[in-house]
Amino acid sequence: MQDWDAVVIGGGPAGLMAAGEIAHMGHRVLLVEAKPSPARKFLMAGKSGLNLTKDEPVETLLSQYGEAEAWLAPMIRAFDARAVQDWARGLGQDLFTGSTGRVFPSVMKGSPLLRAWLAALDGGGVTRQLGWRWTGWQDGHLSFDTPAGPERISARATVLALGGASWARLGSDGAWAAMLAARGVALAPFQPSNAALAVAWSDHMAPHFGAALKAVAWQVGTQQGRGEATLSRRGLEGGGLYALTPALRQGHPLHVDLAPDLTEAALAARLAKPRGKASWSNHMRRVLKLAPVKLALLQEFGRPLPQDPQALAAVIKHLPIRHSGLRPMDEAISTAGGVRRDALDEGLMLKALPGTFCAGEMLDWDAPTGGYLLTACFATGRWAGQAAARYLDSAATR
């Protein structure tokens, strides 16, 4: 049986960060990952550019974490957007900031950063085991299924960074929840976040699959936001909707403003112009200059369209989107739910399991895409790793 100062279970961003912090503070660390390679979800995110963080004032950054803002505040203040950028540059990565403040590696992918990060961890003394699936505890020791058979490990501190419950094929299957619940750990139910909407389109929408809805504003209950969404065969997806997932989960109706830069009165004035022999559809297309996908969406959810300019303008500004809820949780970019705040102390150590810490998406917090997810994973992993190292130090002096 192997013996380690600390074992970090989960090779995603939170786990990698925690392992580095513990090793930096002089402790022997084993990093265990169930998949054949680490950080698979991180690399998948990198295929679309790897949005590391959002370069904005920390108060603005923190406001995106909703009910978890107060909980995460000390962790993110200690490793905010500026710190994330300094860390990535310290690993030799060139970064750039887009017009909206989103920060990306200049190469627009995650693999170079991950390679540099793993090399730094190797140089810092972190040992990795891949293809080891954690199965819980046996006689007070950590147990794993490995390619060579069952393995038990003695660890004086453990950091769990096991992810949420989406994208199971990349490693985040939420199977850990049952093991922690059996040990008396308080959990919040998993829910999809940053998820696509399921829409049963009529046949006339098929030519628009893959088209992006740009320059629109969304409203869900009292929440509003601007941002793109893309039509797919199964529904609607995109950053414009992802930030509204919490309100959609609560069942609030969804509306879209197809012309957010025009007032209802301005739209009505355009529609009231003489149309001569033009059909109503051609008249709308000419005077409103709406993209074909917007006109199709208007027909899909607004029919029968009012002939009165004022009434039609009202529909365009507040078009109801009929849908059947969020797509299945495993398709979601992230999940809400997980280990509750009241199950942990200030250092993210489980009250029911002294010496065991949690970090990353397995904690019960929620945030939109746009750099906020990774920022919190980095920050909580760093925080838990430092707390685990202090725990080891204090145990050594007792």
Side-chain angles (χ1 to χ4, degrees):
M1 182 171 62
Q2 298 183 34
D3 180 84
W4 291 86
D5 294 338
V7 174
V8 177
I9 305 176
L16 296 178
M17 191 65 75
E21 293 296 320
I22 299 169
H24 180 71
M25 297 174 76
H27 301 285
R28 297 179 305 112
V29 184
L30 175 66
L31 175 68
V32 180
E33 165 58 41
K35 292 294 184 180
S37 59
R40 291 191 166 197
K41 195 171 179 181
F42 179 83
L43 289 176
M44 178 64 75
K47 288 187 176 181
S48 59
L50 193 65
N51 184 187
L52 287 171
T53 190
K54 186 76 174 290
D55 191 2
E56 60 190 9
V58 69
E59 299 300 334
T60 305
L61 188 74
L62 286 170
S63 69
Q64 298 298 314
Y65 295 96
E67 295 179 358
E69 177 181 349
W71 181 26
L72 297 179
M75 307 174 211
I76 291 176
R77 289 184 189 279
F79 201 68
D80 61 9
R82 180 56 54 190
V84 170
Q85 293 173 74
D86 291 343
W87 164 79
R89 291 190 176 101
L91 290 172
Q93 304 304 298
D94 291 327
L95 308 177
F96 77 92
T97 302
S99 59
T100 62
R102 297 184 178 192
V103 178
F104 302 87
S106 297
V107 294
M108 289 297 286
K109 56 184 178 180
S111 51
L113 173 58
L114 180 60
R115 285 195 298 269
W117 194 358
L118 293 175
L121 292 175
D122 292 344
V126 175
T127 299
R128 293 199 303 275
Q129 288 286 1
L130 303 176
W132 284 31
R133 176 169 290 278
W134 180 53
T135 57
W137 294 269
Q138 184 178 354
D139 300 327
H141 304 292
L142 297 167
S143 60
F144 299 88
D145 283 339
T146 81
E151 181 75 45
R152 287 195 302 163
I153 293 179
S154 174
R156 282 171 283 285
T158 303
V159 177
L160 303 178
L162 296 162
S166 64
W167 293 27
R169 64 190 177 86
L170 300 181
S172 298
D173 58 12
W176 53 265
M179 290 188 278
L180 293 192
R183 292 293 182 116
V185 176
L187 303 173
F190 290 123
Q191 299 181 83
S193 186
N194 296 297
L197 276 178
V199 180
W201 303 112
S202 63
D203 292 342
H204 100 278
M205 294 299 291
H208 302 281
F209 293 159
L213 273 169
K214 300 181 178 182
V216 294
W218 306 92
Q219 182 174 345
V220 185
T222 59
Q223 279 192 273
Q224 297 182 350
R226 291 189 64 156
E228 292 185 18
T230 300
L231 274 72
S232 72
R233 185 173 301 278
R234 296 183 296 180
L236 280 167
E237 57 190 67
L241 287 172
Y242 293 158
L244 303 174
T245 302
L248 288 167
R249 283 199 305 259
Q250 295 171 15
H252 294 295
L254 172 66
H255 293 83
V256 63
D257 181 349
L258 296 174
D261 297 321
L262 292 172
T263 66
E264 188 173 314
L267 281 173
R270 292 188 181 191
L271 290 166
K273 292 179 179 179
R275 61 185 176 100
K277 296 182 179 180
S279 68
W280 190 233
S281 295
N282 287 335
H283 178 64
M284 279 195 302
R285 187 178 296 110
R286 185 178 70 247
V287 299
L288 298 182
K289 295 182 169 52
L290 294 179
V293 65
K294 289 186 177 182
L295 290 171
L297 203 67
L298 183 61
Q299 293 284 353
E300 180 78 353
F301 296 122
R303 288 181 296 178
L305 295 177
Q307 297 292 300
D308 174 68
Q310 192 65 50
L312 181 55
V315 172
I316 292 169
K317 295 292 288 183
H318 200 65
L319 181 67
I321 303 295
R322 295 186 297 274
H323 62 88
S324 52
L326 299 172
R327 294 286 306 163
M329 185 159 57
D330 192 51
E331 298 177 16
I333 291 175
S334 61
T335 51
V339 180
R340 287 174 16 189
R341 180 180 183 177
D342 58 4
L344 301 151
D345 70 7
E346 294 302 310
L348 298 180
M349 183 172 72
L350 289 169
K351 296 174 182 177
L353 296 168
T356 299
F357 300 78
C358 297
E361 198 184 331
M362 69 181 295
L363 303 176
D364 180 23
W365 56 272
D366 196 5
T369 57
Y372 304 109
L373 294 170
L374 272 178
T375 297
C377 286
F378 293 143
T380 57
R382 179 177 180 270
W383 190 268
Q386 292 180 348
R390 291 193 298 270
Y391 177 85
L392 290 168
D393 290 341
S394 65
T397 61
R398 289 200 293 267

